[in-house]
Amino acid sequence: MITLALDASTYEGTVAVLDGARSRATGETAMRGRDAERLMPEVEATLKRAGVTLAHVDRIACGAGPGSFTSLRIAGSLAKGMALGAAKPLFAVSSLALIVAANVTEKGDYLALLDAIRGDYFAACFTFDGTKVSAAGEPMLTPKGNIESLAARLRAKAVGPDFIGSWQPSARGVIRLEAGLTASGPVDLANWEPTYGRLPEAQLKLEAAAK
C-alpha cells in the first residue's frame, strides 16, 4: 500500500511517500513569504526521490487541519486535484494528530497544540500505545492561559511548535494513524474541505467592517 501524504496546517508544508509502515521519502517546503506556490513541486520531488509516480500511489492522505487557512486550502486543493485526476481515494487526517504521530517516542498521553491566533490554541489529546496514535478526546479551542491547567487535568504532555521540543505536524506521521484512516474511510471528494477551526482573519475584518 503506497500512500502519498501531505500536510500544510502551519507555514511549513510536508510531504511523505509511505510504503506500508515504511517511509520511502519525505520533503518539506515553506508555505509563506514566497513568490510562487511550492507545495506541488515538493510533492513531485518527493515522489521522484521515492522512485514512484502518482500512478503507483494507492491512496492520498491529507492533513485536514485545523491550522493556517491559506496553507490548508492549498494542500486540500492539491490533494483533491490529484485524487480526482488520478482516480485515487483521499483520506483526511487530523493535523493535530500529525504533531504527535510524527514525533512521539514514548508511550503516553499528549495534548497537541497549534496556534489559532488571537490568544487561542487549537488543542486535542492523543494516546500513543507504542505502535499507534489514537484520539483521546474531541478537538477544542482553548485560551493560551488555560493550556497548563488543561494539560494537567488530562495528565498529558503539551506538545506542538510553540512548546518543549518544538514538534511540528508532519505528513510522515500518517504511518501511525492507519487505524483511524481505516475506520473513517475515504472522504467524499465532491464535498470535502479541510477543517479550518475558525474563520480567516481577513473574513473577520470584512464582517466587522460591515457591521
Side-chain angles (χ1 to χ4, degrees), residues 6-32:
L6 59 156
D7 178 78
S9 51
T10 66
Y11 297 130
E12 180 181 281
T14 61
V15 184
V17 177
L18 312 172
D19 189 348
R22 180 174 68 94
S23 174
R24 294 183 64 153
T26 61
E28 60 185 47
T29 187
M31 298 295 295
R32 190 182 194 185

Side-chain angles (χ1 to χ4, degrees), residues 66-67 72 122 141 194-199:
L72 284 171
F122 300 118
L141 191 66
T195 302
Y196 302 111
R198 68 192 317 169
L199 294 175

Side-chain angles (χ1 to χ4, degrees), residues 100 109-112 123-127 134-140 154-156:
V100 179
D109 294 326
Y110 296 84
L111 181 64
C125 194
F126 298 91
T127 297
S134 55
E138 294 298 318
M140 67 187 82
L154 295 172
R155 297 182 180 179

Side-chain angles (χ1 to χ4, degrees), residues 83-95:
L84 283 167
K88 308 293 183 181
L90 173 62
F91 292 77
V93 297
S94 164
S95 296

Side-chain angles (χ1 to χ4, degrees), residues 182-195:
T182 301
S184 62
V187 303
D188 176 1
L189 288 175
N191 298 304
W192 178 79
E193 64 178 49
T195 302

Side-chain angles (χ1 to χ4, degrees), residues 135-150:
E138 294 298 318
M140 67 187 82
L141 191 66
T142 186
K144 182 178 181 179
N146 289 357
I147 290 173
E148 185 175 349
S149 60
L150 177 62

Side-chain angles (χ1 to χ4, degrees), residues 8-207:
S9 51
T10 66
Y11 297 130
E12 180 181 281
T14 61
V15 184
V17 177
L18 312 172
D19 189 348
R22 180 174 68 94
S23 174
R24 294 183 64 153
T26 61
E28 60 185 47
T29 187
M31 298 295 295
R32 190 182 194 185
R34 299 297 187 98
D35 57 3
E37 196 284 300
R38 301 285 183 176
L39 187 57
M40 189 61 204
E42 188 56 44
V43 169
E44 294 172 342
T46 304
L47 285 168
K48 185 175 182 179
R49 288 194 296 273
V52 299
T53 68
L54 190 56
H56 296 112
V57 170
D58 296 300
R59 64 183 182 182
I60 298 169
C62 183
S68 167
F69 182 84
T70 301
S71 298
L72 284 171
R73 282 187 69 91
I74 291 171
S77 296
L78 288 178
K80 287 179 71 171
M82 289 187 291
L84 283 167
K88 308 293 183 181
L90 173 62
F91 292 77
V93 297
S94 164
S95 296
L96 290 167
L98 289 175
I99 294 175
V100 179
N103 297 285
V104 67
T105 57
E106 298 179 357
K107 295 180 181 180
D109 294 326
Y110 296 84
L111 181 64
L113 298 148
L114 281 175
D115 191 356
I117 68 174
R118 298 191 291 279
D120 294 326
Y121 273 78
F122 300 118
C125 194
F126 298 91
T127 297
F128 177 51
D129 66 2
T131 303
K132 65 181 184 299
V133 170
S134 55
E138 294 298 318
M140 67 187 82
L141 191 66
T142 186
K144 182 178 181 179
N146 289 357
I147 290 173
E148 185 175 349
S149 60
L150 177 62
R153 178 167 59 83
L154 295 172
R155 297 182 180 179
K157 179 180 179 180
V159 295
D162 300 333
F163 298 86
I164 294 174
S166 301
W167 288 5
Q168 298 282 342
S170 177
R172 68 179 184 274
V174 167
I175 287 176
R176 287 174 167 165
L177 300 173
E178 182 61 40
L181 265 67
T182 301
S184 62
V187 303
D188 176 1
L189 288 175
N191 298 304
W192 178 79
E193 64 178 49
T195 302
Y196 302 111
R198 68 192 317 169
L199 294 175
E201 191 77 14
Q203 184 173 341
L204 289 171
K205 289 180 179 178
L206 284 173
E207 291 180 353

